[in-house]
């Protein structure tokens, strides 16, 4: 098609995630397999790379913006802009789940944390009893120093007995078919069920070498 020498790209193709050190494909394909195509960066400088008419430009590219150019009957055409993002990632997906405590009373705030190590971009999903009712606040902290970790915190305010159950986070790798999930069981009681009655004063004095017993009744 001389009026559209570049095959239209979908938005998902224009954002290219690449792991450090891996080659990338900038998918500007032409409708004419004999077209001469040039790759330029954001400074409009030519970038030399292998070109495959069925795939696009293949190579190790720095992060940034790239555009393809071609000439048709003396008229210059430009492709869509392609953005390359370099991400820090490992082939494994180390994940840990942490809960400050696993037993709560009604009205307390549940806090569960899911931590992904050594990976900059992941897709993380939570499954928990209150998810259907969208009960819960999720916060992400991206920590770079001293090491890379993504800290996802799930907070359930004003917990009720219905919030008892499995709290599970599932992390999926950004570029590989790798996933990891971790689970913790949380129990919420309607009210406290232990009563403590100390048989001594808030402040007690003991003489040197004296042996004293401090008794607490537990019901």
């Amino acid at each position: 098609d001389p009026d559209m020498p570049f095959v239209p790209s979908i938005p998902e193709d224009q954002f290219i995630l690449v792991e450090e050190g891996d080659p990338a494909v900038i998918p500007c394909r032409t409708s004419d397999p004999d077209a001469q195509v040039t790759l330029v960066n954001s400074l409009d400088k030519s970038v030399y790379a292998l070109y495959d008419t069925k795939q696009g430009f293949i190579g190790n590219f720095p992060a940034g913006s790239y555009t393809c150019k071609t000439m048709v009957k003396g008229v210059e055409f430009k492709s869509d802009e392609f953005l390359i993002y370099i991400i820090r990632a490992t082939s494994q997906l180390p994940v840990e789940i942490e809960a400050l405590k696993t037993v709560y009373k009604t009205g307390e705030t549940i806090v569960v944390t899911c931590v992904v190590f050594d990976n900059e971009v992941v897709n993380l999903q939570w499954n928990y009893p209150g998810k259907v009712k969208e009960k819960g606040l999720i916060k992400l902290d991206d920590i770079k120093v001293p090491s890379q970790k993504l800290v996802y915190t799930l907070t359930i305010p004003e917990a009720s007995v219905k919030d008892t159950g499995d709290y599970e986070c599932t992390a999926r790798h950004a570029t590989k078919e790798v996933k990891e999930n971790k689970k913790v069981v949380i129990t919420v009681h309607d009210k406290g069920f232990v009563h403590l009655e100390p048989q001594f004063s808030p402040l007690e004095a003991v003489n040197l070498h004296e042996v004293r017993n401090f008794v607490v009744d537990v019901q």
Side-chain angles (χ1 to χ4, degrees):
D1 182 354
D3 295 323
M4 190 174 287
F6 287 108
V7 177
S9 57
I10 58 175
E12 289 83 354
D13 288 340
Q14 294 172 242
F15 296 92
I16 304 164
L17 290 177
V18 189
E19 291 180 29
E20 286 179 319
D22 283 359
V25 176
I26 297 176
C28 53
R29 297 173 293 126
T30 56
S31 57
D32 177 3
D34 297 321
Q36 298 298 310
V37 184
T38 304
L39 179 66
V40 296
N41 60 21
S42 58
L43 300 176
D44 206 32
K45 290 186 176 181
S46 296
V47 178
Y48 297 98
L50 174 68
Y51 185 69
D52 183 321
T53 56
K54 295 181 180 180
Q55 295 186 65
F57 284 99
I58 304 168
N60 289 84
F61 305 105
S65 167
Y66 296 86
T67 308
C68 301
K69 294 181 178 181
T70 190
M71 298 286 288
V72 178
K73 296 179 181 179
V75 179
E76 184 181 80
F77 287 85
K78 289 184 178 182
S79 71
D80 292 322
E81 183 182 42
F82 297 92
L83 297 171
I84 290 185
Y85 295 91
I86 307 296
I87 61 171
R88 191 181 308 163
T90 58
S91 56
Q92 302 300 315
L93 203 55
V95 178
E96 288 184 5
I97 194 167
E98 301 169 353
L100 295 175
K101 57 182 183 176
T102 57
V103 178
Y104 291 84
K105 289 191 299 183
T106 294
E108 291 186 321
T109 299
I110 298 172
V111 178
V112 182
T113 301
C114 194
V115 185
V116 182
F117 298 91
D118 303 325
N119 285 265
E120 236 175 347
V121 180
V122 298
N123 177 16
L124 187 130
Q125 291 182 323
W126 286 96
N127 279 308
Y128 56 97
K131 184 176 180 179
V132 176
K133 294 184 178 180
E134 298 183 351
K135 184 178 182 180
L137 306 170
I138 298 171
K139 185 181 74 167
L140 168 61
D141 292 309
D142 187 354
I143 299 171
K144 307 287 187 185
V145 179
S147 59
Q148 172 65 45
K149 62 180 179 180
L150 298 172
V151 181
Y152 297 84
T153 304
L154 171 65
T155 304
I156 311 289
E158 295 292 324
S160 69
V161 175
K162 292 181 179 179
D163 292 310
T164 294
D166 294 343
Y167 285 69
E168 183 179 54
C169 66
T170 302
R172 288 179 171 81
H173 202 285
T175 59
K176 294 182 174 66
E177 291 297 320
V178 177
K179 75 173 184 177
E180 187 71 32
N181 67 295
K182 291 294 173 72
K183 180 177 72 173
V184 65
V185 180
I186 301 289
T187 304
V188 182
H189 293 285
D190 186 37
K191 59 183 178 180
F193 53 86
V194 175
H195 178 69
L196 304 177
E197 189 176 343
Q199 302 297 312
F200 50 86
S201 304
L203 178 64
E204 294 279 353
V206 181
N207 292 324
L208 184 63
H209 303 308
E210 181 184 356
V211 176
R212 288 281 297 273
N213 291 325
F214 296 90
V215 179
V216 178
D217 285 341
V218 181
Q219 298 175 2

